[in-house]
Amino acid sequence: MMYTAEDIITYLPSPTQADRELITAAYEFAREAHEGHTRYSGEPYLSHLASVAKMLAEMGFGTRTISAGLLHDSIEDTGVTENEIRKLFGEEILFLVQGVTKLGSVRYYGSDRHNESLRKLFVATSQDIRVLIIKLVDRLHNMQTFAHVPAHKQKRIARETLEIYAPVAHRLGMGRIRKDLEDMAFPYVYPDEYKRVQEIITPLAKKADTDLEKIRKTIQRKLVEDGMRDFKTHTRIKGTYSLYHKLRRRDWDIDKIYDYLAIRVIVKNVEDCYQVLGIIHKFWRPMPNRLKDYIANKKPNGYQSIHTTVCIPTDTILEIQIRTDDMHREAEFGIASHMIYKEAQQGRGVSKASNKPWFTSLIPSLFRPFAWRTTLQAPREEEELFSERSPKEKIPHWIQEVAEAHKSTKAPHGFMEDLKNDFFSYRIFVFTPEGDVVDLPVDASPIDFAYAIHSEIGNHVSGARVNNKLVGLDTGLKNGDIVEILTKDSSRPTQKWMEYAKTTLAQRKIRASIEATAKSA
Ligand code: MN
């Protein structure tokens, strides 16, 4: 499928001449830059870029984000320079393209020990929420065309999607992208488990569809009879990956899963949500302890809805999810929905209204008093699924950390200033071959790394390998590098090392060792 520039522009609510020109220029630039490149499917590479741009446009993003979507692989894959992009498309689009390129270097190593740090690194590196969203959409399209990817690459990419991209999407509240990413990656990562889930749901699929449709119609009728006019209803079947997790915790018994089928009722305002709940409970018996009011008590990732489980006389159990339009948009697009909303309000262009980095907006508690009330019923079910670390913690710890660290740096002064001040521009994360993370200042050397691990290792460094290549001890380390230190008993720190070391820890240890050697000599 090859979308044209015109196809992409049709998704803009009211494109100006300038919007058209920018998108067309980016489109033509991408076509030329990727001339002769093809995807694994044999399609021209442009088809990927056009699809990413089209999805961004569909999500409601503005012209610059869409253009960055068209250009996102140009620096990495073609001879295009940053200067060219700056000259033709300006600083902001260049910044987005650079961000996406940088994110591409956050690699997945296949060890669970890395995952949490990688997610953190991934979010922190993106700096601007739009960068992260372009990258998520990029991955989404890569997954959609996954069948053409060579088999030996499929598994690694699918794992990365499942372990890094989908959880990041989830934690940003981007429910739709998360579900798509998970369900597309699942069969490649866990083929046997996928088969098992399929065997359970395939026989149910037909009845599920007809039941859902019937119940949806009944709900519509009931609501109208009770005087409701302004509402929408959708049906949803639980994603296979999310279902798999739940099946594992319910002895693989689908009858113990009450939200396999769900109907969403979307209304105009919160009052209507409770009215719908009343109408539904009057008509169908709610299951005890299954009412979850995430409107009164938001989920940590911002999710809001009322969930209730009802038994339908035809012996179907299903969940009904009631929410407003705004809540629905937020459940689908998460943090991005706020931006989309802002863009829509301002007509066009990309808002940079906030001086705060986007991740701080996820954590109101850090910036204003935030009371977490106990929920009507413990929101155990869904929560358990993805809060890997501590279920007691309401705000994902890692995002909290990112924001706290940011808060402790200087107060932001405008967008570009904010970027410079971003503490991730002077911290890097590198890995041991075993997958442990060491965070160091930018430009730290293997010497700093060695001392950060242990002073005995530091004191006997004889060489270093970065990403499996022997390097000099003065090499500047980069985000995501895997660093292996070679030691020799006879090796000792030298004065030269003082120049290589960027951390005070390493410098102190080197000085101490040199002095000790001098004394004993
Ligand atoms: Mn791409």
Side-chain angles (χ1 to χ4, degrees):
M1 182 72 206
M2 177 72 90
Y3 296 103
T4 63
E6 210 33 61
D7 291 336
I8 297 165
I9 292 165
T10 47
Y11 285 96
L12 296 176
S14 46
T16 61
Q17 191 52 31
D19 288 330
R20 290 171 184 284
E21 280 167 13
L22 184 58
I23 289 175
T24 310
Y27 190 94
E28 290 309 321
F29 185 88
R31 184 208 297 280
E32 228 167 89
H34 294 272
E35 186 66 59
H37 294 190
T38 51
R39 300 277 290 170
Y40 285 121
S41 62
E43 281 185 287
Y45 201 87
L46 183 65
S47 66
H48 166 63
L49 307 166
S51 296
V52 168
K54 176 239 159 203
M55 286 194 253
L56 290 166
E58 215 175 351
M59 287 171 76
F61 280 98
T63 311
R64 274 166 281 187
T65 311
I66 295 167
S67 303
L70 285 164
L71 301 171
H72 80 266
D73 283 322
S74 61
I75 293 181
E76 177 120 57
D77 297 349
T78 74
V80 169
T81 65
E82 298 189 346
N83 264 332
E84 275 175 87
I85 293 185
R86 181 184 293 116
K87 236 170 74 198
L88 289 165
F89 302 103
E91 203 63 60
E92 188 177 335
I93 290 176
L94 172 66
F95 165 75
L96 295 174
V97 175
Q98 281 172 321
V100 177
T101 309
K102 212 163 130 196
L103 262 191
S105 68
V106 176
R107 282 157 299 160
Y108 172 73
Y109 303 106
S111 137
D112 287 344
R113 289 166 75 178
H114 282 126
N115 294 344
E116 189 58 25
S117 329
L118 272 176
R119 286 174 208 137
K120 196 191 277 185
L121 173 63
F122 196 77
V123 169
T125 307
S126 67
Q127 291 185 330
D128 184 309
I129 182 70
R130 291 170 297 167
V131 168
L132 193 56
I133 288 161
I134 294 169
K135 194 69 191 169
L136 287 171
V137 170
D138 173 42
R139 178 53 59 100
L140 189 61
H141 184 254
N142 286 337
M143 292 306 297
Q144 285 166 354
T145 50
F146 208 47
H148 305 286
V149 174
H152 69 277
K153 286 192 171 180
Q154 277 180 339
K155 190 124 182 173
R156 189 196 68 83
I157 298 172
R159 274 205 91 97
E160 185 177 82
T161 303
L162 218 47
E163 301 296 344
I164 312 295
Y165 287 72
V168 166
H170 170 61
R171 285 156 181 212
L172 301 180
M174 305 177 74
R176 193 194 297 181
I177 286 193
R178 166 201 159 198
K179 183 182 176 184
D180 287 351
L181 288 173
E182 281 177 351
D183 290 348
M184 286 186 287
F186 178 39
Y188 295 93
V189 180
Y190 301 108
D192 297 341
E193 290 82 350
Y194 173 74
K195 238 176 51 222
R196 194 165 170 194
V197 173
Q198 284 303 315
E199 275 160 17
I200 292 172
I201 58 175
T202 308
L204 305 174
K206 227 181 140 205
K207 182 171 163 8
D209 274 341
T210 46
D211 279 2
L212 265 181
E213 203 37 45
K214 246 192 263 164
I215 297 163
R216 192 177 71 85
K217 292 231 169 79
T218 310
I219 290 178
Q220 272 183 332
R221 207 182 56 239
K222 285 285 145 195
L223 295 181
V224 171
E225 282 171 12
D226 265 66
M228 307 245 355
R229 290 292 175 269
D230 214 354
F231 65 86
K232 281 173 281 193
T233 51
H234 303 168
T235 60
R236 87 104 178 84
I237 297 182
K238 202 172 185 61
T240 50
Y241 185 64
S242 157
L243 180 63
Y244 156 65
H245 272 276
K246 216 164 223 188
L247 278 168
R248 278 208 319 191
R249 292 180 301 145
R250 299 280 185 282
D251 317 308
W252 288 87
D253 183 354
I254 187 93
D255 292 334
K256 291 184 187 160
I257 292 170
Y258 303 134
D259 65 346
Y260 171 51
L261 306 178
I263 289 177
R264 287 182 183 143
V265 182
I266 296 160
V267 293
K268 286 288 153 212
N269 54 49
V270 172
E271 291 70 47
D272 287 358
C273 291
Y274 291 102
Q275 195 186 339
V276 169
L277 181 71
I279 296 169
I280 285 167
H281 281 182
K282 205 165 62 184
F283 187 60
W284 286 310
R285 186 172 56 82
M287 274 183 75
N289 298 323
R290 293 284 309 176
L291 173 62
K292 291 171 240 168
D293 188 345
Y294 299 123
I295 291 180
N297 305 287
K298 263 193 211 191
K299 281 197 184 192
N301 68 357
Y303 181 81
Q304 285 190 292
S305 268
I306 297 170
H307 291 187
T308 183
T309 306
V310 294
C311 308
I312 310 290
T314 54
D315 125 65
T316 311
I317 291 176
L318 87 160
E319 186 169 271
I320 295 176
Q321 306 174 346
I322 309 160
R323 52 176 77 154
T324 65
D325 281 313
D326 286 351
M327 292 170 191
H328 182 60
R329 199 175 50 226
E330 181 156 350
E332 301 273 272
F333 298 124
I335 183 106
S337 65
H338 301 298
M339 295 202 52
I340 293 165
Y341 187 59
K342 230 180 270 167
E343 280 190 39
Q345 270 188 329
Q346 294 180 351
R348 96 183 38 79
V350 173
S351 73
K352 281 201 229 116
S354 169
N355 283 335
K356 286 182 197 146
W358 61 270
F359 42 79
T360 58
S361 66
L362 290 177
I363 331 177
S365 67
L366 282 177
F367 300 92
R368 62 183 134 87
F370 178 72
W372 189 269
R373 284 170 289 165
T374 31
T375 36
L376 217 66
Q377 255 84 45
R380 206 162 292 124
E381 295 286 297
E382 292 262 303
E383 211 106 289
E384 261 172 26
L385 256 178
F386 289 95
S387 60
E388 301 124 330
R389 297 287 138 148
S390 117
K392 271 176 280 158
E393 205 163 53
K394 292 301 180 192
I395 297 147
H397 181 67
W398 61 296
I399 289 185
Q400 197 171 348
E401 233 176 65
V402 170
E404 260 164 8
H406 191 275
K407 198 187 165 205
S408 68
T409 62
K410 273 197 291 175
H413 313 281
F415 180 70
M416 287 316 279
E417 200 53 35
D418 197 23
L419 287 181
K420 282 184 217 130
N421 286 342
D422 189 272
F423 79 112
F424 278 98
S425 48
Y426 45 87
R427 295 304 284 182
I428 55 167
F429 293 86
V430 295
F431 298 103
T432 69
E434 291 76 38
D436 293 317
V437 178
V438 178
D439 92 281
L440 293 166
V442 165
D443 276 340
S445 67
I447 297 283
D448 294 300
F449 177 85
Y451 279 105
I453 305 266
H454 196 281
S455 52
E456 272 310 291
I457 295 183
N459 282 337
H460 298 285
V461 175
S462 64
R465 265 195 212 110
V466 172
N467 305 327
N468 268 323
K469 270 195 212 102
L470 276 173
V471 298
L473 293 179
D474 59 342
T475 304
L477 300 177
K478 285 190 293 302
N479 254 333
D481 280 344
I482 300 179
V483 185
E484 188 187 347
I485 297 296
L486 312 171
T487 57
K488 241 193 238 144
D489 277 349
S490 57
S491 278
R492 289 286 179 278
T494 66
Q495 201 57 47
K496 257 262 133 333
W497 289 20
M498 286 298 283
E499 290 164 30
Y500 303 160
K502 297 287 177 304
T503 55
T504 44
L505 172 83
Q507 289 168 346
R508 210 172 56 231
K509 299 273 184 194
I510 294 166
R511 203 175 300 122
S513 169
I514 291 177
E515 279 163 18
T517 314
K519 244 176 247 161
S520 66

